[in-house]
């Protein structure tokens, strides 16, 4: 794709639906480079040294220090189904990891190049984003058979700003099908007046370091629309659109690279789970 950003019809579709799928955004070589780089990262992981932190969603949201201090690091989080009754891994580590995050876009040159590419900048400018900054990134594995369900949610629940400004960029690195846990969206659900559901830090509590607060989302299951995507496409996700993925019940993984932008001029909540020791990197200024 040329450095021309979105067409007017694409912008309208994104504004109407709250998400947009752009086919053939990345070449096969670019997809393979990301997958190879992550394979090398996992190869170097020492699970005897690094905590075996399990990533959880919903009301079981992970909240240990390994997770909460990952904003400026590259850390791995395992699938809940990767362990037997004795707490031992049941598969090779390459098949047990839920995701690797949250500073791939800063610390790894391969992922940094993709994140801060001229093509992504052109998309941001076509959406009239004046000062987009990137708070976090992650590589999601959605492992065969044990890749867990991600419940319906809005990204601004986790990266809350005033006003809400989160924008997700999701890049499938394998074909995503109904069986291996593709995305589902509730079109138009981004047209909300406020974000009521939040994931916040709770330092005054000893039993839970992070927790969800605010009313849960009310929706009709039948209104969700399936979004099967081919590897190499690009999915834009409005921070207020409800989306989900079901468990991977297949024998094939569903790798994806994802990062988020927020408005650098908006107020970033001090209660958000993700806090960094310094400012978030600007999309437009990567010097």
């Amino acid at each position: 794709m040329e450095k021309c950003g979105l067409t007017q019809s694409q912008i309208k579709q994104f504004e109407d639906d709250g998400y947009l799928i752009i086919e053939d955004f990345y070449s096969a070589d670019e997809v393979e480079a990301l997958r190879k780089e992550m394979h090398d990262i996992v190869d170097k992981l020492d699970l005897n040294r690094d905590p075996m932190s399990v990533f959880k969603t919903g009301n079981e949201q992970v909240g240990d220090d390994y997770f909460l201090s990952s904003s400026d690091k590259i850390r791995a989080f395992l699938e809940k189904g990767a362990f037997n009754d004795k707490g031992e891994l049941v598969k090779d580590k390459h098949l047990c990891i839920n995701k690797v995050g949250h500073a791939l876009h800063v610390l790894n040159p391969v992922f940094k190049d993709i994140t801060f590419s001229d093509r992504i900048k052109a998309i941001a400018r076509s959406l009239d984003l004046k000062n987009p900054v990137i708070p976090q990134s992650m590589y999601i594995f959605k492992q065969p058979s044990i890749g867990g369900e991600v419940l319906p949610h809005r990204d601004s629940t986790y990266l809350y700003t005033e006003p809400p400004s989160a924008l997700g960029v999701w890049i499938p690195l394998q074909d995503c099908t109904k069986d291996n846990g593709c995305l589902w969206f509730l079109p138009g659900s981004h047209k909300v007046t406020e974000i009521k559901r939040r994931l916040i830090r709770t330092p005054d509590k000893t039993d839970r370091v992070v927790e969800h607060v605010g009313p849960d989302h009310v929706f009709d299951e039948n209104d969700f629309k399936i979004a099967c995507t081919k590897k190499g496409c690009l999915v834009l996700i409005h921070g207020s659109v409800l989306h989900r993925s079901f468990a991977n019940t297949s024998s094939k993984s569903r790798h994806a690279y994802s990062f988020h932008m927020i408005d650098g001029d908006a107020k970033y909540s001090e209660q958000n789970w993700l806090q960094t020791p310094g400012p978030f990197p600007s999309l437009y200024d990567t010097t």
Side-chain angles (χ1 to χ4, degrees), residues 97-131:
I97 296 176
N98 172 287
K99 71 174 183 176
V100 169
H102 289 92
L104 286 166
H105 63 294
V106 175
L107 300 178
N108 183 279
V110 177
F111 287 94
K112 184 176 182 178
D113 285 347
I114 288 290
T115 306
F116 293 93
S117 69
D118 288 340
R119 284 175 290 176
I120 295 297
K121 293 175 184 177
I123 285 179
R125 290 191 174 100
S126 66
L127 291 174
D128 200 28
L129 303 185
K130 304 300 185 185
N131 183 26

Side-chain angles (χ1 to χ4, degrees), residues 24 84 114 124 126 150 155 173 187-188 200 271:
D24 300 319
N84 60 23
I114 288 290
S126 66
V150 178
D155 289 344
L173 304 177
I200 65 171
Q271 290 184 305

Side-chain angles (χ1 to χ4, degrees), residues 198-219:
R198 299 272 308 283
L199 179 72
I200 65 171
R201 291 191 178 214
T202 55
D204 57 328
K205 293 188 177 183
T206 57
D207 61 332
R208 183 171 291 181
V209 183
V210 294
E211 67 179 0
H212 282 96
V213 296
D216 212 342
H217 311 299
V218 178
F219 56 87

Side-chain angles (χ1 to χ4, degrees), residues 33-100:
L34 289 174
R35 291 194 61 189
K36 181 181 184 303
E37 186 68 13
M38 182 49 61
H39 187 277
D40 292 345
I41 289 172
V42 174
D43 259 351
K44 296 173 184 176
L45 286 176
D46 183 357
L47 297 184
N48 293 317
R49 179 196 64 202
D50 297 326
M52 290 196 293
S53 181
V54 176
F55 183 74
K56 304 173 184 176
T57 62
N59 293 327
E60 291 186 306
Q61 184 71 44
V62 66
D64 56 30
D65 182 69
Y66 183 76
F67 175 76
L68 291 176
S69 62
S70 63
S71 64
D72 59 346
K73 302 173 183 67
I74 296 175
R75 286 183 168 171
F77 305 90
L78 305 183
E79 285 285 359
K80 187 177 181 179
F83 299 89
N84 60 23
D85 293 339
K86 298 179 181 180
E88 303 165 330
L89 291 179
V90 297
K91 298 181 179 181
D92 178 86
K93 63 181 178 181
H94 284 275
L95 296 174
C96 290
I97 296 176
N98 172 287
K99 71 174 183 176
V100 169

